Amino acid sequence: MKPPASRGMPRTWFMEVYGCQMNLNDSELIRRILLDGGFEEVADDKLADCILIVTCAVREKAEVRALGRAAQLSGIRKDGSRPIVALCGCVAQEHGEGLLGRVRGIDLVVGPDCYRQLPALLLEGSSRSCTELTSEDYEGLVPVRKAFPRAFVTIMRGCDNFCSYCIVPHVRGRERSRRMGAVLEEVAALSGQGYRDITLLGQNVNSYSSDGASFPELLREASAAARPAWIRFVTSHPRDFSDELISVIPACRNICRQVHLPAQSGNDRILSLMGRGYTRRDYLGRIGALREAVPGVVLSTDLIAGFPGESEEEFGETLSLLTEAGFDYAFLFRYSERLGTAAADLPDRIPVTERLRRLHLLQEAQKRITEDRSAALEGTVVPVLVTGPGAGRGQMAGRTAGNRAVIFRNGAPMPGRFVTASITGTDGWTHFAEVVEVLGPDGSPEASETRAAP
Ligand code: SAH
Ligand code: SF4
Ligand code: F3S
């Protein structure tokens, strides 16, 4: 479908972003590419010549939502014009040009390695797709960020792990690391601009490798370049979560004592079918070593309920892992078939209602643990980074080193300043706090949370 006669050359764009932080950081690269190409971003979709939807394909629900939004945003406006709609990101890569004829309202299909071509594609405007997977690492482009004082820095793209349930390697291509020098320059520049919470980003940061440097070395150097900012990293694969990496965390005072370590399942047979390369015992061993080296470390995970063939007992082991590990927080999912992945061909699919029931059991158990963990922080005074306005009127929000959301009850200074705050109440992962002391502009509190033992 061609856009009706446009109002001249497309010049303005509006962007919606779904999925993980990788997509968020990609959208910041897209912003740079379009600004350099002479386009202007607008906050109202109805005023935009071009609409970009940066999509996620990791679960069916995310994909359906993205395609629904494309149809919704592509409607004809009062003046008879219609925006150019570019479907970007992982769903674009997954389905490619097949989307053009199949889904109403999509004019362009642009995969994650083709964003440099966006200006030309948008000017062309109709029925084009670009979904080649290459070794693109967007070197030389400075992302235009909008989340001050927090920033994500991509250190690697793609994934070679091919966990059997996961579509990411299929839509993001082969693993490639950015040059260490380029990463360190970006981190130092962000810190110089006042960013105070910097996250190194990759699908499996532990397999980072550049000019002979491994991830622990990069992390150590990045922590020096980031000072006085806090620094964290996501995501770690338990198989590659080495003692060397564990030792770097307590050695550098601005590395947040917070680790996201997806377990996916607590049962060895399912872990093996998933292709994860570790056992339940290995996993518990890794977090044991982490807790010993980094007391009070804030630990989160991802778990999947209802993988093909998962028996009630096997699921029970995931539930017991959740309790035994005592995660501060968990992202819990019901298994979703993704076409083209190895697990989609496995027999013995679990009925969706049963997947939901298991998911619910995980959610209930985690809710209790999260509440207990949060409550243990009540009455303590912890360092908090002020991040910006909260949801309520006049409210200010912040983050702890443990990545907990904080709402200030008595106002707060400018975003980008560290304070110490007394935690006065909690609601799940959200904490209410009162500012005790405002630190100087270069104040950099130790990036650990002091917490009563739960
Ligand atoms: N690279 C990261 C995360 C990638 S996707 C890692 O390895 O941990 C984020 C999470 O989505 C995964 O950890 C997994 O728990 C979940 N996920 C991925 N594919 C899924 C699927 N087909 N169904 C349900 N959850 C899935
Ligand atoms: Fe997906 Fe596994 Fe790669 Fe994570 S490590 S992105 S779960 S294939
Ligand atoms: Fe991220 Fe979703 Fe793509 S999780 S890499 S945006 S499939």
Side-chain angles (χ1 to χ4, degrees), residues 58-59 159 161 163 165-168 202-204 235-237 260 262 264 276 302-304 331 333-338:
V58 80
R59 284 168 292 275
C159 180
N161 280 321
C163 302
Y165 50 82
C166 184
I167 199 164
V168 171
Q203 295 296 354
N204 176 14
T235 299
S236 284
H237 194 300
H260 183 62
Q264 312 298 1
R276 292 291 285 178
D302 294 348
L303 294 168
I304 299 175
F331 297 88
F333 308 105
R334 68 176 154 110
Y335 171 71
S336 168
E337 275 90 16
R338 306 282 62 211

Side-chain angles (χ1 to χ4, degrees), residues 351-369:
V352 171
T353 48
E354 177 58 18
R355 293 181 211 175
L356 282 169
R357 187 187 71 83
R358 294 179 187 182
L359 174 65
H360 187 68
L361 290 172
L362 291 174
Q363 286 167 334
E364 285 298 301
Q366 184 58 49
K367 189 163 171 270
R368 284 191 295 273
I369 302 172

Side-chain angles (χ1 to χ4, degrees), residues 2 35 56 86 93 118 120 141 164 209 223 317 335 353 364 368 447:
K2 285 207 161 201
L35 285 174
C56 171
Q93 189 64 44
L118 266 170
L141 285 180
S164 66
S209 164
S223 93
E317 285 201 65
Y335 171 71
T353 48
E364 285 298 301
R368 284 191 295 273

Side-chain angles (χ1 to χ4, degrees), residues 81-109:
S81 69
R82 198 176 74 69
I84 296 165
V85 174
L87 198 85
C88 306
C90 301
V91 177
Q93 189 64 44
E94 183 190 3
H95 294 294
E97 68 178 341
L99 284 170
L100 288 172
R102 199 155 59 83
V103 181
R104 188 174 66 85
I106 295 178
D107 303 294
L108 300 171
V109 176

Side-chain angles (χ1 to χ4, degrees), residues 158-220:
C159 180
D160 286 350
N161 280 321
F162 288 92
C163 302
S164 66
Y165 50 82
C166 184
I167 199 164
V168 171
H170 304 265
V171 293
R172 287 272 168 176
R174 298 293 53 77
E175 189 179 285
R176 63 217 102 123
S177 297
R178 281 181 68 197
R179 267 194 320 110
M180 180 148 148
V183 172
L184 296 178
E185 270 168 37
E186 190 171 337
V187 169
L190 286 166
S191 177
Q193 291 157 23
Y195 283 85
R196 288 293 175 262
D197 188 344
I198 298 173
T199 304
L200 304 180
L201 198 60
Q203 295 296 354
N204 176 14
V205 292
N206 308 91
S207 49
Y208 176 88
S209 164
S210 153
D211 306 321
S214 63
F215 183 62
E217 289 165 64
L218 174 73
L219 180 61
R220 196 184 283 277

